[in-house]
Amino acid sequence: MCGIVGYIGDRKILPIIIDGLKRLEYRGYDSAGVALVGNDSYFIKTKGRISLLEEKINNSYIDGNYFVGIGQTRWATHGEPSDLNAHPHIDCNGEIFVVHNGIIENYYEIKKDLIERGHRFLSETDTEVVPHLIEEYYEGDILKAVLKAVNKLRGSFALAILSKKERDKIIAVRKESPLIVGIGKNENFLASDIPALLPHTKNIVILKDGEIALITKDEIKIFDMQGNQIGIEKMEINWNLEQSEKKGYKHFMLKEIMEEGEVLKEVIRGRVKDEKIELNEIKDKDFLRRVENIYIIACGTAYHAGLIGNYILTDLLNIPVKTEVASEFRYENPNLSKNSLVILVSQSGETADTIASLRVAKKLGAKTLGVVNVNGSTIFRESDEVLQIFAGPEIAVASTKAYVAQILTLLLFSVYIGKIRGDVDEDFEKFIVGEIKRVSEFSEILLDKKDEYLEIAKEIKDLDDIFYIGRLLDYPTALEGALKLKEISYIHAEGYPAGELKHGPLALIEEKVPTFAISTDERVFEKIVSNIKEVKARNGKVYSIVRDDFKGIIKESDRSVIIPKTHIYLSPILSVIPLQLIAYFTADLKGLDVDKPRNLAKSVTVE
Ligand code: G6P
């Protein structure tokens, strides 16, 4: 959700804040604002994108002597996107500036109380109670006032706070929503995600839940919520600036899809040696022998990767495996024990529902395994075991390269646990390693077929409804293909198990409602032929994403994209590539903002 940046140092503050906001715009983009404080102060905010904020700045900015600045790009929760609801928010005297990511659950009671005490509110946001509470408690020490204020708040919040009375510091507070301090030389930075820091520093401190940072030009001090100073844990980012830039591509989404071949090599680097899979990162290997049941928990695209992991684990092991969306799992009564394994799949490692599920699993005594992209993220830190997916920074809201990396990581894990438990023998391991080694090369073949995808995109771009069908491992691919299309092109798309078509959706099939049929498994190849015939009989057009040897399907389809033959466990990595690129070209042809689709955000840090 919202992106926060902060800077304190001798450089020009405003360009650093604006650049940081642009790098975090994927987190939210309905309004934006900045506040600068020094001998002078400057404060501006607006509904709309950062480009609009820049226009307004160009018309109003007066260069001054500023020492410190904060900014925010918003994804609205409380209060519609508007100039007044944009951040920063201020106290009655316009001396305290606050930007926030998260939700303050008890803001209504606090606001009522503050109004009775004479505070004047300007917005409908939950955030605005924070500067007023700080004002209420301020007695000459901003840190103490912030401590008192945040102890009154319930909910999730990352806050950055400036005061005109103490112009040499930023106070940053983290409860659940992420915040990272970037360490510079005679300057320091603050951001809710790594890309904003990459142009400046690789040395960071990731604030932990319940920590408050006092950031000056030369120093970073960390406190707990009671005000006790605690030690700081520095770490180095292993991403580089280039990875987080567009590198000449029109959109991040296209760049990220085109990186998939490389990412697939990264996932197996150091993990696949000779003919074996070794996951040295797993600390408690004995536990894998004892596991009695497995849950896979995730949201969105990561959930679809989880469904694929579910299939492979069920196929290889003799124990129950269940995949659930995190927002459901966290409120259920799952069958967990000390011999349960809960796998949390998350690109960002910061998705609120997935974090909550992780904590539920731990509370119930299960072992947790995070399958995460962002090193140092909450799920990365709080899981008992972690497998990083090494996809590099993913900026486009629609997840693509992380998805293929999640599938491959889950496959490596499935074979590995199968081997440890005696369910996978050396011959199968050797065979699957051979297939795994070829998947990157196969992906490049598919990444090269852009003209084919563009032709299909031209045909579907003006339609209103599209179905995606598949069976077995092709079913999650159907779900993911439909999700990609709907989230960025706004065409209504639904993924279905192919056999379910005649239990409802077939009623909607007609000339203008085409179907994508995904077919990579020979066991159900003939069934898909029948499903395609059912669609054709209703005048529906069929696009198939199909293995090169399934001639029957190719013959029945209006157009086919041919997928190289590989083991069924790996085909979901390949068959999703055409669907990602078709979604991309469709949205681009429609002139939509592919990287920042309406109403969505990259990292959903609120419930
Ligand atoms: C949001 C993003 C999706 C992502 C999902 C889960 O909805 O737009 O692309 O799949 O969150 O995010 P995570 O970071 O946990 O994988």
Side-chain angles (χ1 to χ4, degrees):
M1 304 268 125
C2 317
I4 290 177
V5 292
Y7 173 70
I8 184 160
D10 294 332
R11 286 196 273 161
K12 280 249 172 264
I13 314 266
L14 191 61
I16 295 176
I17 301 288
I18 296 291
D19 177 70
L21 288 179
K22 283 186 184 162
R23 291 174 192 275
L24 294 187
E25 204 173 11
Y26 61 86
R27 296 179 67 88
Y29 30 85
D30 58 47
S31 45
V34 296
L36 312 179
V37 166
N39 289 338
D40 309 302
S41 69
Y42 177 72
F43 170 45
I44 187 165
K45 54 189 194 168
T46 181
K47 177 184 170 178
R49 297 278 167 103
I50 293 161
S51 50
L52 187 65
L53 180 71
E54 279 184 298
E55 266 176 44
K56 291 200 173 175
I57 288 174
N58 286 341
N59 297 331
S60 70
Y61 181 69
I62 300 165
D63 205 9
N65 197 0
Y66 309 116
F67 313 151
V68 58
I70 53 174
Q72 198 247 27
T73 174
R74 179 171 185 248
W75 188 88
T77 56
H78 290 67
E80 56 164 15
S82 71
D83 288 358
L84 280 179
N85 289 339
H87 295 215
H89 290 282
I90 52 172
D91 64 329
C92 294
N93 304 318
E95 290 182 334
I96 297 164
F97 300 91
V98 174
V99 294
H100 167 218
N101 172 28
I103 292 178
I104 293 162
E105 285 162 5
N106 57 338
Y107 85 100
Y108 186 72
E109 300 102 89
I110 298 175
K111 187 168 175 175
K112 225 171 93 194
D113 189 46
L114 286 166
I115 288 172
E116 275 166 23
R117 299 173 74 88
H119 289 263
R120 294 179 314 280
F121 282 78
L122 305 172
S123 79
E124 302 154 317
T125 64
D126 51 344
T127 308
E128 201 181 0
V129 299
V130 183
H132 288 278
L133 261 186
I134 298 172
E135 175 190 3
E136 189 72 17
Y137 292 127
Y138 189 74
E139 288 172 347
D141 184 333
I142 188 76
L143 179 66
K144 281 193 181 148
V146 170
L147 272 165
K148 281 192 183 156
V150 294
N151 275 294
K152 291 271 173 213
L153 306 177
R154 273 203 325 269
S156 63
F157 41 88
L159 299 167
I161 300 150
L162 293 187
S163 165
K164 278 191 194 169
K165 289 194 177 135
E166 297 182 42
R167 300 169 301 185
D168 57 346
K169 60 192 72 152
I170 307 175
I171 311 281
V173 186
R174 175 183 186 165
K175 181 156 174 275
E176 291 171 17
S177 305
L179 263 187
I180 305 166
V181 182
I183 310 166
K185 213 169 167 212
N186 299 324
E187 59 181 1
N188 286 310
F189 307 83
L190 181 71
S192 34
D193 207 351
I194 291 169
L197 300 173
L198 285 175
H200 309 292
T201 179
K202 289 197 170 184
N203 298 316
I204 59 165
V205 178
I206 299 179
L207 293 188
K208 300 199 191 81
D209 207 14
E211 287 187 351
I212 301 185
L214 173 72
I215 307 163
T216 62
K217 214 169 81 163
D218 327 286
E219 209 178 12
I220 296 155
K221 286 185 185 161
I222 311 273
F223 302 87
D224 64 19
M225 288 275 186
Q226 280 67 52
N228 304 308
Q229 193 172 345
I230 46 184
I232 69 173
E233 266 175 52
K234 295 182 188 171
M235 65 176 276
E236 207 176 311
I237 309 169
N238 57 7
W239 290 352
N240 61 46
L241 182 59
E242 222 201 358
Q243 283 176 311
S244 72
E245 299 195 322
K246 279 193 202 151
K247 287 202 239 164
Y249 285 100
K250 187 170 176 192
H251 294 101
F252 278 110
M253 183 177 176
L254 181 59
K255 177 205 155 214
E256 287 160 7
I257 297 172
M258 297 312 288
E259 284 171 350
E260 286 176 354
E262 282 308 307
V263 167
L264 293 168
K265 286 188 200 153
E266 276 309 308
V267 174
I268 64 172
R269 195 185 300 280
R271 289 169 167 165
V272 169
K273 286 187 206 116
D274 305 323
E275 286 159 350
K276 299 212 171 312
I277 294 171
E278 285 305 338
L279 300 181
N280 295 326
E281 309 101 296
I282 304 277
K283 293 169 278 177
D284 190 353
K285 299 190 171 46
D286 276 346
F287 176 76
L288 299 185
R289 261 180 221 112
R290 296 197 301 274
V291 175
E292 286 169 3
N293 64 339
I294 299 179
Y295 275 86
I296 305 178
I297 309 300
C299 302
T301 289
Y303 168 71
H304 297 155
L307 291 175
I308 291 164
N310 194 138
Y311 182 96
I312 301 171
L313 283 164
T314 307
D315 210 35
L316 291 177
L317 314 182
N318 286 314
I319 51 172
V321 186
K322 197 172 180 209
T323 299
E324 293 248 34
V325 286
S327 52
E328 292 293 316
F329 176 84
R330 64 181 290 187
Y331 294 114
E332 283 172 3
N333 191 10
N335 293 324
L336 296 181
S337 71
K338 65 177 188 349
N339 288 335
S340 302
L341 174 68
V342 178
I343 303 176
L344 296 308
V345 188
S346 175
Q347 186 283 128
S348 63
E350 298 294 352
T351 301
D353 284 318
T354 316
I355 294 172
S357 301
L358 162 75
R359 291 178 182 157
V360 166
K362 288 184 96 169
K363 206 163 152 207
L364 294 174
K367 184 85 139 184
T368 53
L369 164 67
V371 175
V372 184
N373 192 28
V374 181
N375 186 347
S377 61
T378 304
I379 297 174
F380 191 100
R381 280 186 286 107
E382 292 190 15
S383 300
D384 299 311
E385 304 279 356
V386 180
L387 288 174
Q388 202 179 344
I389 63 166
F390 299 115
E394 193 182 62
I395 310 285
V397 166
S399 182
T400 52
K401 63 175 177 170
Y403 179 68
V404 295
Q406 285 159 347
I407 299 173
L408 188 54
T409 308
L410 286 167
L411 170 60
L412 294 181
F413 176 72
S414 307
V415 178
Y416 184 69
I417 184 174
K419 188 168 70 165
I420 285 187
R421 297 168 69 89
D423 294 319
V424 167
D425 61 24
E426 268 186 22
D427 286 348
F428 181 74
E429 183 182 14
K430 186 173 163 187
F431 164 72
I432 202 77
V433 162
E435 297 289 291
I436 286 172
K437 284 183 178 163
R438 289 161 69 201
V439 75
S440 165
E441 187 191 316
F442 284 162
S443 74
E444 298 290 356
I445 297 174
L446 290 162
L447 291 168
D448 257 6
K449 296 191 184 190
K450 286 195 266 326
D451 293 345
E452 285 183 41
Y453 311 141
L454 197 54
E455 283 311 304
I456 296 177
K458 281 181 193 156
E459 289 180 17
I460 65 171
K461 75 177 181 26
D462 298 317
L463 300 178
D464 296 325
D465 304 283
I466 301 186
F467 282 93
Y468 288 69
I469 57 168
R471 287 171 181 257
L472 302 175
L473 273 168
D474 295 326
Y475 167 51
T477 307
L479 293 176
E480 179 59 12
L483 177 64
K484 280 295 87 81
L485 188 75
K486 79 179 100 177
E487 64 186 338
I488 59 168
S489 77
Y490 316 145
I491 295 173
H492 170 234
E494 277 189 70
Y496 257 89
E500 281 288 297
L501 209 57
K502 49 175 113 38
H503 296 291
L506 210 50
L508 299 173
I509 301 291
E510 38 123 338
E511 209 190 322
K512 291 210 156 136
V513 182
T515 300
F516 279 86
I518 300 110
S519 181
T520 62
D521 189 331
E522 56 216 355
R523 290 170 300 170
V524 286
F525 149 73
E526 283 175 353
K527 307 285 170 203
I528 293 283
V529 175
S530 308
N531 297 132
I532 290 177
K533 285 189 169 156
E534 286 158 13
V535 171
K536 301 282 301 176
R538 275 95 191 158
N539 290 326
K541 205 165 183 177
V542 172
Y543 300 101
S544 59
I545 311 295
V546 59
R547 220 171 74 178
D548 48 10
D549 51 339
F550 292 178
K551 305 285 182 238
I553 292 185
I554 299 168
K555 197 169 120 246
E556 293 297 333
S557 307
D558 293 278
R559 274 181 190 273
S560 297
V561 177
I562 307 297
I563 305 290
K565 183 176 174 186
T566 177
H567 188 270
I568 48 163
Y569 292 171
L570 285 146
S571 49
I573 293 175
L574 299 178
S575 45
V576 80
I577 294 173
L579 298 176
Q580 292 171 336
L581 282 166
I582 290 166
Y584 169 78
F585 286 123
T586 307
D588 189 40
L589 285 174
K590 289 179 85 170
L592 297 171
D593 190 347
V594 177
D595 286 335
K596 300 186 199 79
R598 70 184 179 204
N599 306 341
L600 302 180
K602 179 83 185 147
S603 178
V604 182
T605 55
V606 294
E607 207 183 328

